[in-house]
Amino acid sequence: MSLSEENENPPASAIGRFLVCTILSLSFAVGVPGNAFVIWTICRRMKQRSLSVVLILNLAIADILVLVTLPIWIYSFANTWLFGIETCKALVFVVYCNMYASIFLITALSLERFMAVFHPFAVQRRTKKTFTCLAMLLIWLLSIAFGAVVLPFQETEDSEFGPQCTSRSYISNSQKVACLLLETLVGFLVPFAVISICYVCIAKRINSLTGSNKRRSNRLVISVVVSFALCWLPYHIFNLLSVASAVMEDSDGEASEALEKIAVQGTFIAGSMVFLSSCVNPLLYAFAARNIQSSMRFAKLSKLFEQMSPETKQEGTKENSVLNGKEETLMSTDLN
């Protein structure tokens, strides 16, 4: 999350600071115990974990890693930044890694849902432990690589309330445009294009599926995708406004300045909203598990995650039994 772009008058009004601190406090209070419970449920109650469950586990880990940084951000916005430029860069790096890891994990989850619906036996063959480990390693390495892009530009900046870790310093507008476009394209637009294609295809197929578990798991993944989009879309819109401002600076200085002011003010609030995406997923899981029958209250979540596994074994058994039945009928017919 870019908390703010380079500017001379950072958005630090008392109302804005109070609103941001409230959003961050709510995210921390809900998200940390919620994601911790998801991690505990998967690690302690599920011995066999499908690719879907491993993706959800890593998503919860990414979310909780960024949420534990919130007390420092809350203190900073309520007072001033007292922790130095190194800590500033480190915490921004953690936030950016979470952004990329979350979108990459959700994209992988959407692709897995697509394969589970259209090619269930291929999913069964390819979701071995080695494949899953390599996929998670690749996602985290890409997240670290893209998250590190912002580090050379992140700075602390003095405001009317004191220093804040809310500024980036670019050498030129071209560099600024390149960094912001990379962030929006890789961190939002391209992955969501892939996700949208997956779910358009799934939507056309889902009505023909008779398994209620498969419908439930697909609806759950769609709700995770939608919540992520709603939390991150405003931030990336203001990102694009900042890009437009940089592009227009030479041709129309007044319009460029007006756009930059809007982008700066909007990014300050929208930047705090992105933390909501890290706390909402456990609520979605709890809502999806509410109708699952279980004698133990805490077992509902693990049963929900068990249903995330593609029903390949059951479907394969049914198909094999049908084929075997046909073969036996043909053999008996030939013998007679």
Side-chain angles (χ1 to χ4, degrees):
M1 176 194 68
S2 172
L3 300 173
S4 174
E5 298 304 322
E6 181 182 20
N7 58 88
E8 296 180 355
N9 298 301
S13 67
I15 296 177
R17 286 154 60 91
F18 175 78
L19 180 60
V20 167
C21 290
T22 301
I23 294 174
L24 298 185
S25 299
L26 178 64
S27 300
F28 180 82
V30 175
V32 170
N35 283 289
F37 181 65
V38 170
I39 296 171
W40 177 85
T41 298
I42 295 175
C43 293
R44 293 296 300 272
R45 301 187 66 90
M46 302 188 67
K47 295 182 179 180
Q48 294 183 346
R49 300 164 196 155
S50 66
L51 178 58
S52 297
V53 174
V54 173
L55 289 168
I56 289 175
L57 173 62
N58 279 265
L59 184 59
I61 292 172
D63 288 339
I64 203 169
L65 284 176
V66 73
L67 288 172
V68 295
T69 70
L70 287 184
I72 297 179
W73 292 115
I74 294 169
Y75 178 86
S76 171
F77 291 131
N79 298 279
T80 60
W81 184 263
L82 303 176
F83 310 103
I85 184 61
E86 291 80 10
T87 304
C88 173
K89 288 178 179 287
L91 293 185
V92 170
F93 172 71
V94 170
V95 173
Y96 267 92
C97 281
N98 169 76
M99 179 189 77
Y100 287 111
S102 295
I103 189 61
F104 293 159
L105 289 165
I106 291 174
T107 303
L109 194 56
S110 302
L111 290 170
E112 190 275 342
R113 289 292 92 195
F114 176 87
M115 293 296 294
V117 171
F118 287 91
H119 305 286
F121 292 99
V123 172
Q124 186 180 19
R125 288 193 301 268
R126 296 188 179 185
T127 53
K128 304 299 182 182
K129 186 174 181 179
T130 302
F131 175 84
T132 301
C133 292
L134 289 175
M136 295 306 103
L137 179 62
L138 178 61
I139 287 174
W140 281 106
L141 287 177
L142 287 174
S143 301
I144 292 172
F146 284 112
V149 172
V150 72
L151 292 180
F153 314 112
Q154 189 67 36
E155 302 288 347
T156 57
E157 182 179 38
D158 289 331
S159 69
E160 59 181 305
F161 296 96
Q164 292 292 340
C165 179
T166 57
S167 176
R168 291 191 215 167
S169 177
Y170 298 102
I171 297 175
S172 64
N173 279 337
S174 298
Q175 188 182 66
K176 177 179 180 179
V177 169
C179 290
L180 294 181
L181 284 180
L182 176 68
E183 180 180 313
T184 297
L185 288 174
V186 177
F188 192 80
L189 293 180
V190 173
F192 263 85
V194 175
I195 291 169
S196 299
I197 293 172
C198 286
Y199 280 109
V200 166
C201 296
I202 290 174
K204 292 180 179 180
R205 182 74 178 272
I206 195 69
N207 291 331
S208 64
L209 298 175
T210 58
S212 60
N213 290 345
K214 188 168 289 186
R215 288 200 199 96
R216 183 185 291 115
S217 62
N218 282 318
R219 286 197 297 266
L220 174 59
V221 176
I222 290 174
S223 66
V224 172
V225 171
V226 170
S227 66
F228 187 92
L230 292 177
C231 290
W232 278 98
L233 182 59
Y235 168 76
H236 287 289
I237 289 176
F238 290 117
N239 243 14
L240 294 177
L241 287 179
S242 189
V243 169
S245 171
V247 172
M248 296 171 57
E249 185 173 6
D250 294 333
S251 59
D252 193 340
E254 292 184 2
S256 173
E257 185 178 353
L259 281 177
E260 184 62 18
K261 288 182 179 180
I262 295 173
V264 166
Q265 296 290 335
T267 301
F268 187 66
I269 304 298
S272 64
M273 289 178 57
V274 303
F275 286 102
L276 293 174
S277 68
S278 296
C279 75
V280 72
N281 289 340
L283 300 179
L284 296 176
Y285 304 150
F287 183 79
R290 72 193 187 285
N291 293 326
I292 294 179
Q293 299 296 326
S294 176
S295 58
M296 295 180 62
R297 183 177 181 181
F298 294 120
K300 288 187 174 183
L301 194 60
S302 60
K303 287 185 176 293
L304 173 68
F305 292 148
E306 288 174 359
Q307 294 173 2
M308 295 293 294
S309 303
E311 300 170 342
T312 52
K313 293 183 179 179
Q314 295 178 1
E315 292 171 358
T317 301
K318 291 179 181 178
E319 185 171 326
N320 289 334
S321 64
V322 171
L323 292 174
N324 292 334
K326 289 180 179 179
E327 291 176 358
E328 291 175 359
T329 302
L330 289 173
M331 291 177 64
S332 62
T333 302
D334 291 339
L335 291 173
N336 293 333

